[in-house]
Amino acid sequence: MAQTAIYPGSFDPITSGHIGIIERGLQVFDQLIVAVAINTRKKPFFTVEERLSLLQGCFADNDRIQVDSFSGLTVDYVRKVGASVILRGLRAVADFEYELQMANMNRKLEPGVETLFMMTGEEYFFVSSQNVKEIVMLGGSISGLVPPHVEQACLSKLATDKDG
Ligand code: ADP
């Protein structure tokens, strides 16, 4: 039976750090669903549709990766698509506490769903969607921290936000 894992996150936007986790995740799982969690409490930089389209731009030609979005509990989504594994990345100690809490809460909610963590590669441990956005807004280069089409989208978004 093909083993599918769900990689949930905000992906606002997808970074090279996420891509590293996805590539390594494919060495363990047959299929990955990269799922944008719709969080109405966070004010995003990119809309859900834009984030999905940026993800498609990375993975459209890889038939082992699907891109989707969901609202509500992650464990409910995982069950809905018939999977039982959540994949998450760990960067630093700062991620640990939050991820530990989430993984345990999710296991409490749905004991049949397990969370697996992958350690970030040393080349991307310092990359987050948040610092990518901050660098763009401050006029710095994010080349290499995100794929080229994402860099382009960040610059266009910044320009339209300034105009608007
Ligand atoms: P969330 O808003 O749910 O934290 P993110 O989109 O920021 O979602 O990240 C999704 C997952 O990817 C999280 O598990 C996060 O720790 C992980 N992640 C983000 N950036 C990196 C990175 N540079 N290296 C490894 N894992 C990462």
Side-chain angles (χ1 to χ4, degrees), residues 21-92:
I21 297 290
I22 290 166
E23 282 171 353
R24 286 165 53 216
L26 284 180
Q27 293 174 16
V28 179
F29 298 100
D30 302 308
Q31 298 280 336
L32 280 185
I33 302 179
V34 183
V36 175
I38 301 172
N39 183 344
T40 44
R41 279 180 301 137
K42 282 192 195 168
K43 168 131 180 46
F45 189 55
F46 288 106
T47 65
V48 172
E49 291 69 29
E50 288 167 337
R51 281 179 266 163
L52 286 170
S53 139
L54 293 175
L55 286 166
Q56 289 293 1
C58 297
F59 307 120
D61 54 1
N62 189 332
D63 60 8
R64 294 174 60 202
I65 303 178
Q66 288 173 54
V67 166
D68 196 6
S69 64
F70 69 97
S71 48
L73 292 174
T74 306
V75 286
D76 287 345
Y77 173 74
V78 173
R79 279 311 196 197
K80 194 188 98 189
V81 297
S84 57
V85 178
I86 297 171
L87 177 66
R88 295 284 287 177
L90 272 186
R91 277 160 296 195

